[in-house]
Amino acid sequence: TKLLTMITALQIQPDITVKLTMREGEETPGSGNNLRPGDTLTLWDALHNMLLPSSNVSATIVARAMGERLLSSEGATGDAQQRFVQQMNRVAMSLGMFDSHFINAHGLGARGQLSCVRDIARLGMAALRYPAITDIWGKRDYTITLTGACPRKKVIETSLTMLDEINGDIMGGKTGTLGKAFNHLLLHIRAPGGSDLICVVMQASTNEARYSDMNALLAAVNKGYRWPQRIPEPVLN
């Protein structure tokens, strides 16, 4: 869900230096709960916080801020969060995610919110077109700078663990977790021959199982497919 939130936000506001401020009432439970009302950070830092520790509150802030931009550009009024989620679903449809529907920007459980492996793979392929995303999702840690009432720096770490135990040349990826029994994983792999490969597993029973499932998937792909050598694109002088 946060990958779609990031793509939608970058389409609305490509300037990653724009500053966002958390407001009262935007506290969001779950992962990455590391901000407080009054904190100000750049969109760049907010994207890091969403992608590495999977910060739900950062997704809430980004969705509200980008929803306000949409409403302002349209000369309209309304709920900024809902307007942003509406845009998320439009972007999802444009990517061919026809079996997906989103209710919120952070991915916490909501009746009617759903997707499937094929759609998430399409989302991962779309993310490859955004350098801001591919630059972030391979990092193990990052330091965000917070200003406002309580200026500070905070080191954040990726939730993508056990990287060294997975076969292949891993470029990055994103975990998704909903309760204890729904453990998802998207990986960007540099496949044999140099091609980009998006691999997705969903609904693993544990955190460890999602990585073993991914290992099995990658082993089968590497063994069962004769990868062509990627031919570099010509560079025009």
Side-chain angles (χ1 to χ4, degrees):
T1 302
K2 293 185 184 74
L3 278 179
L4 181 60
T5 297
M6 294 173 73
I7 289 174
T8 305
L10 289 168
Q11 288 187 3
I12 298 168
Q13 176 53 269
D15 183 0
I16 58 175
T17 67
V18 166
K19 293 187 176 181
L20 313 173
T21 300
M22 181 179 173
R23 297 176 182 172
E24 293 285 350
E26 291 187 331
E27 296 86 352
T28 310
S31 58
N33 193 4
N34 54 11
L35 302 178
R36 63 188 71 168
D39 282 345
T40 296
L41 71 169
T42 63
L43 176 58
W44 182 233
D45 281 4
L47 295 178
H48 277 82
N49 210 24
M50 289 170 59
L51 195 46
L52 297 184
S54 200
S55 172
N56 292 332
V57 66
S58 289
T60 295
I61 297 166
V62 167
R64 184 263 305 158
M66 297 301 112
E68 288 177 344
R69 286 179 178 271
L70 286 172
L71 291 172
S72 176
S73 68
E74 296 162 351
T77 59
D79 187 296
Q81 295 271 354
Q82 290 181 4
R83 178 63 187 88
F84 182 81
V85 172
Q86 181 185 52
Q87 192 67 20
M88 286 175 61
N89 282 297
R90 291 178 179 176
V91 172
M93 291 295 290
S94 74
L95 299 179
M97 300 173 64
F98 302 128
D99 293 316
S100 299
H101 184 70
F102 296 87
I103 305 295
N104 58 50
H106 41 65
L108 287 174
R111 185 177 297 275
Q113 181 153 280
L114 53 88
S115 191
C116 66
V117 171
R118 186 184 298 273
D119 281 3
I120 297 302
R122 289 186 174 120
L123 178 62
M125 292 301 296
L128 295 180
R129 302 197 293 267
Y130 292 83
I133 296 177
T134 57
D135 181 73
I136 296 171
W137 71 9
K139 296 178 180 178
R140 292 181 180 271
D141 55 62
Y142 177 79
T143 301
I144 60 176
T145 300
L146 301 170
T147 59
C150 184
R152 63 197 187 279
K153 292 184 182 293
K154 181 176 288 290
V155 177
I156 55 176
E157 297 180 346
T158 182
S159 61
L160 192 62
T161 58
M162 299 171 65
L163 292 179
D164 297 333
E165 296 185 27
I166 295 182
N167 299 317
D169 188 1
I170 300 172
M171 309 302 293
K174 179 76 179 71
T175 60
T177 306
L178 188 60
K180 294 182 178 180
F182 295 94
N183 297 273
H184 316 309
L185 177 62
L186 178 151
L187 283 186
H188 172 203
I189 300 289
R190 186 57 46 80
S195 298
D196 288 307
L197 184 66
I198 294 294
C199 304
V200 180
V201 297
M202 298 182 72
Q203 295 191 18
S205 58
T206 65
N207 176 53
E208 292 75 16
R210 69 172 133 203
Y211 291 101
S212 61
D213 287 351
M214 182 63 74
N215 248 328
L217 173 63
L218 294 178
V221 168
N222 288 330
K223 181 179 179 181
Y225 185 78
R226 182 174 295 177
W227 289 95
Q229 187 67 33
R230 184 177 181 181
I231 301 174
E233 296 179 2
V235 176
L236 299 179
N237 294 327

